[in-house]
């Protein structure tokens, strides 16, 4: 079972930046970042072992997902943050050999790290 531990969340003003980290025990073909706001879960960014990436329209151009295999760490660089980005952010590992934008198939989840953006 993949184990995931996020860090790096915090409180920032609009326009600021944060970098989230997710330490993993081993990497699956597709890993992603999701965010959970009250009543809503949204897939934010995804990356494959081939380093193909995909993003939600709401974060495209502002967020960047990356991975450092030597450090067993997944990252989410978040720039130009807006209040609507406020949420609990989770990293997740998909159990198949493909990526899905929804949460189905992601069987390992971290505990989450809170991001709060004030206006």
């Amino acid at each position: 079972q993949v184990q995931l531990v996020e860090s790096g969340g915090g409180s920032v003003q609009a326009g600021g930046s944060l970098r989230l980290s997710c330490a993993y025990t081993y990497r699956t073909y597709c890993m992603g970042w999701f965010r959970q706001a009250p009543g809503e879960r949204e897939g934010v960014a995804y990356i494959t072992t081939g380093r193909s990436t995909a993003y939600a329209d709401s974060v495209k151009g502002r967020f960047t997902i990356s991975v450092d295999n030597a450090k067993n760490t997944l990252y989410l660089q978040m720039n130009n943050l807006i209040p609507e980005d406020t949420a609990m952010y989770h990293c997740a590992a998909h159990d198949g050999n493909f990526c899905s934008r929804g949460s189905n198939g992601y069987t390992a989840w971290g505990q989450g790290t809170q991001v709060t953006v004030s206006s």
Side-chain angles (χ1 to χ4, degrees):
Q1 180 72 17
V2 178
Q3 294 184 342
L4 306 167
V5 179
E6 302 96 334
S7 60
S11 297
V12 296
Q13 290 190 326
S17 298
L18 284 172
R19 188 176 78 158
L20 306 183
S21 299
C22 171
Y24 55 84
T25 51
Y26 69 88
R27 187 177 170 190
T28 62
Y29 174 79
C30 181
M31 299 183 74
W33 286 97
F34 292 77
R35 61 188 181 188
Q36 180 82 48
E40 179 183 4
R41 174 182 284 175
E42 179 186 19
V44 173
Y46 315 85
I47 189 166
T48 69
T49 51
R51 299 186 184 268
S52 294
T53 59
Y55 298 91
D57 288 343
S58 58
V59 306
K60 203 171 291 183
R62 300 188 297 121
F63 289 12
T64 302
I65 189 171
S66 63
V67 64
D68 186 332
N69 290 325
K71 296 183 178 180
N72 277 19
T73 303
L74 180 72
Y75 299 101
L76 185 67
Q77 178 67 45
M78 306 186 295
N79 298 328
N80 194 20
L81 285 160
I82 59 177
E84 290 77 12
D85 295 322
T86 295
M88 181 72 77
Y89 284 71
H90 299 265
C91 61
H94 198 283
D95 65 357
N97 59 355
F98 59 95
C99 274
S100 56
R101 288 181 176 262
S103 59
N104 288 339
Y106 292 88
T107 55
W109 293 80
Q111 83 288 349
T113 186
Q114 178 68 36
V115 171
T116 302
V117 184
S118 58
S119 57

